[in-house]
C-alpha cells in the first residue's frame, strides 16, 4: 500500500493487476474531486436553479404584462387625443380666419406630448425589464456561489479528520524544513 500522506484527499483505484490500493497522485485525485463536486452541484442545484429562474421569469412576465397594460392605456390616451384632434381640426376649419396658427400650434403640442408620453412608457418598460433581468442574474449568481461554498465546506468537513490533518501538517513542515536547508 502506498503512503497516504502524500496527498490531501485519497481515492481508491483499481490498477490493471486487480489489486486494491490508494491513488496518491494529487493532480488526478483533484480532478476527480472537482468533477464529483461539480456533478453533485449540477445534480442537486439544477432544481433550485430551475425554480429560481421560473420565479424570476414569472416576475418578468408580470412586469411585461404591466408594461403592456400601461402601453394599452397610453394607446387609449392616444385614441382620445386623436378624437380631440379631430374635434380641434373641425373647430380649426370654423375659426381658420381668426386663429389658424394658434390652433395648429395646440394640435402639434398635443401630438408631441402624446408621443413623448408613449416614449416615456416604452423607456420605463425597457428599464424595468433590464432591471429585473439584472436582479435575477445577481440573485442566481449569489445562490449558486453560496451553494457551491456550502458544498465545498461540507466535502472538506467530511474528508478531514484529525489524523489526516496532523499528517498533512507534519509533511508540510518537513517540506518547508527541506526548502530552508536548500537555501542555506
Amino acid at each position: 500500500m502506498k503512503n497516504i500522506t502524500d496527498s490531501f484527499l485519497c481515492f481508491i483505484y483499481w490498477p490493471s493487476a486487480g489489486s486494491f490500493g490508494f491513488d496518491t497522485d494529487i493532480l488526478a485525485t483533484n480532478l476527480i474531486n472537482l468533477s464529483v463536486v461539480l456533478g453533485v452541484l449540477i445534480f442537486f442545484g439544477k432544481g433550485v436553479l430551475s425554480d429560481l429562474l421560473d420565479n424570476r421569469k414569472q416576475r418578468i412576465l408580470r412586469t411585461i404584462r404591466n408594461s403592456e397594460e400601461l402601453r394599452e392605456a397610453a394607446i387609449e390616451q392616444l385614441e382620445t387625443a386623436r378624437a380631440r384632434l379631430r374635434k380641434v381640426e373641425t373647430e380649426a376649419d370654423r375659426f381658420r380666419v381668426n386663429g389658424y396658427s394658434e390652433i395648429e400650434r395646440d394640435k402639434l403640442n398635443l401630438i408631441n406630448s402624446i408621443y413623448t408620453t408613449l416614449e416615456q412608457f416604452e423607456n420605463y418598460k425597457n428599464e424595468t425589464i433590464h432591471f429585473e433581468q439584472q436582479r435575477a442574474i445577481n440573485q442566481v449568481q449569489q445562490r449558486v456561489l453560496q451553494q457551491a461554498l456550502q458544498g465545498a465546506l461540507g466535502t472538506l468537513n467530511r474528508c478531514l479528520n484529525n489524523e489526516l490533518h496532523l499528517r498533512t501538517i507534519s509533511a508540510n513542515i518537513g517540506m518547508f524544513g527541506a526548502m530552508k536547508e536548500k537555501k542555506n
Side-chain angles (χ1 to χ4, degrees):
M1 190 184 308
K2 296 180 181 180
N3 188 354
I4 63 172
T5 61
D6 291 342
S7 66
F8 186 71
L9 295 173
C10 297
F11 279 97
I12 299 172
Y13 75 98
W14 289 269
S16 61
S19 65
F20 177 80
F22 290 100
D23 186 0
T24 58
D25 181 9
I26 193 166
L27 293 177
T29 56
N30 278 340
L31 290 175
I32 293 170
N33 288 339
L34 283 175
S35 64
V36 168
V37 167
L38 287 176
V40 168
L41 281 176
I42 290 171
F43 181 76
F44 289 109
K46 180 175 46 175
V48 172
L49 185 60
S50 176
D51 290 343
L52 286 173
L53 290 176
D54 286 342
N55 289 340
R56 181 55 60 200
K57 180 181 176 183
Q58 293 302 321
R59 285 184 191 163
I60 290 171
L61 288 175
R62 272 185 268 147
T63 303
I64 290 172
R65 274 188 239 118
N66 291 340
S67 298
E68 289 296 326
E69 289 172 4
L70 290 173
R71 182 179 163 272
E72 290 173 7
I75 289 172
E76 289 176 11
Q77 286 180 351
L78 179 62
E79 291 301 322
T80 303
R82 285 183 180 161
R84 283 179 37 200
L85 177 63
R86 285 189 288 274
K87 182 180 176 183
V88 167
E89 286 176 343
T90 308
E91 289 178 9
D93 289 336
R94 271 188 301 172
F95 300 111
R96 188 172 306 270
V97 175
N98 295 331
Y100 182 80
S101 63
E102 184 179 314
I103 292 173
E104 195 64 29
R105 199 174 332 123
D106 288 342
K107 179 177 94 173
L108 291 174
N109 288 339
L110 183 62
I111 290 171
N112 288 337
S113 69
I114 294 299
Y115 282 119
T116 303
T117 304
L118 281 175
E119 288 177 2
Q120 289 172 348
F121 281 126
E122 189 68 28
N123 290 340
Y124 173 75
K125 179 182 85 170
N126 292 337
E127 289 173 5
T128 302
I129 289 170
H130 179 71
F131 174 75
E132 288 296 325
Q133 287 173 340
Q134 288 299 320
R135 197 164 128 200
I137 289 168
N138 289 339
Q139 284 182 351
V140 167
Q141 287 174 345
Q142 287 175 354
R143 292 251 174 118
V144 167
L145 179 62
Q146 185 180 26
Q147 289 176 354
L149 288 175
Q150 287 174 351
L153 285 174
T155 302
L156 284 175
N157 288 335
R158 280 193 310 273
C159 293
L160 276 180
N161 59 29
N162 286 337
E163 180 183 345
L164 182 59
H165 188 67
L166 290 175
R167 285 184 183 180
T168 303
I169 290 172
S170 297
N172 286 335
I173 290 173
M175 287 178 11
F176 287 130
M179 287 177 21
K180 188 174 183 181
E181 288 177 12
K182 285 182 182 179
K183 285 184 180 180
N184 290 334

